[in-house]
Amino acid sequence: GVGHSDASPDEGVVEDLPLIDEKAVEQLTEGLISHYLPDLQRSKSALQELTQNQVVLLETLEQEIAKFKECNSIVDINALFSEAKHYHNKLVNIRNEMMMLHEKTSKLKVSGINI
């Protein structure tokens, strides 16, 4: 009985290998595919949806950026108007001062004539 205990435990397995028939492999492959395919298809449609959402998001962002650019130019226009108002007020003040000076000088002239 000593000779039998020396036999490798893998010895029988090697002999079994040729018994794996292609039909079984095919069925196993089909089984695996049918098992994972729905998940893969769900993942694919989820990815497509995500991609579409990203496209929409990018377009929306571009529109928002365009709006901000417009707003900035409007702010510039507002600054321009307030500056114009400021200078207009300065001009009005200068005109008022000149009219006052004119009045004073004309009064001086009148009083000068009277002398």
Side-chain angles (χ1 to χ4, degrees), residues 4-115:
H4 287 294
S5 63
D6 289 342
S8 166
D10 295 335
E11 206 171 277
V13 176
V14 178
E15 289 165 14
D16 286 345
L17 279 177
L19 293 177
I20 294 174
D21 68 352
E22 287 171 35
K23 194 138 184 101
V25 172
E26 215 173 286
Q27 284 174 337
L28 273 171
T29 309
E30 279 176 22
L32 279 171
I33 288 172
S34 65
H35 179 75
Y36 287 112
L37 201 61
D39 283 341
L40 285 171
Q41 284 172 333
R42 273 197 293 273
S43 299
K44 186 185 175 187
S45 62
L47 278 172
Q48 283 175 333
E49 198 179 323
L50 199 66
T51 308
Q52 285 172 344
N53 288 345
Q54 282 183 328
V55 168
V56 171
L57 194 66
L58 280 172
E59 285 173 0
T60 310
L61 272 175
E62 279 170 12
Q63 288 171 1
E64 290 300 312
I65 289 168
K67 280 185 198 170
F68 273 116
K69 282 181 181 171
E70 280 175 34
C71 283
N72 276 351
S73 58
I74 288 168
V75 167
D76 289 347
I77 290 167
N78 286 342
L80 207 67
F81 273 119
S82 63
E83 218 173 306
K85 213 173 184 180
H86 174 71
Y87 284 114
H88 177 258
N89 289 340
K90 273 194 169 186
L91 282 171
V92 168
N93 289 338
I94 290 169
R95 194 191 65 177
N96 290 344
E97 281 178 32
M98 286 183 78
M99 283 174 74
M100 275 170 60
L101 282 171
H102 178 71
E103 276 180 37
K104 281 183 181 175
T105 49
S106 60
K107 277 180 186 172
L108 282 173
K109 278 180 187 172
V110 170
S111 60
I113 292 164
N114 290 346
I115 293 166

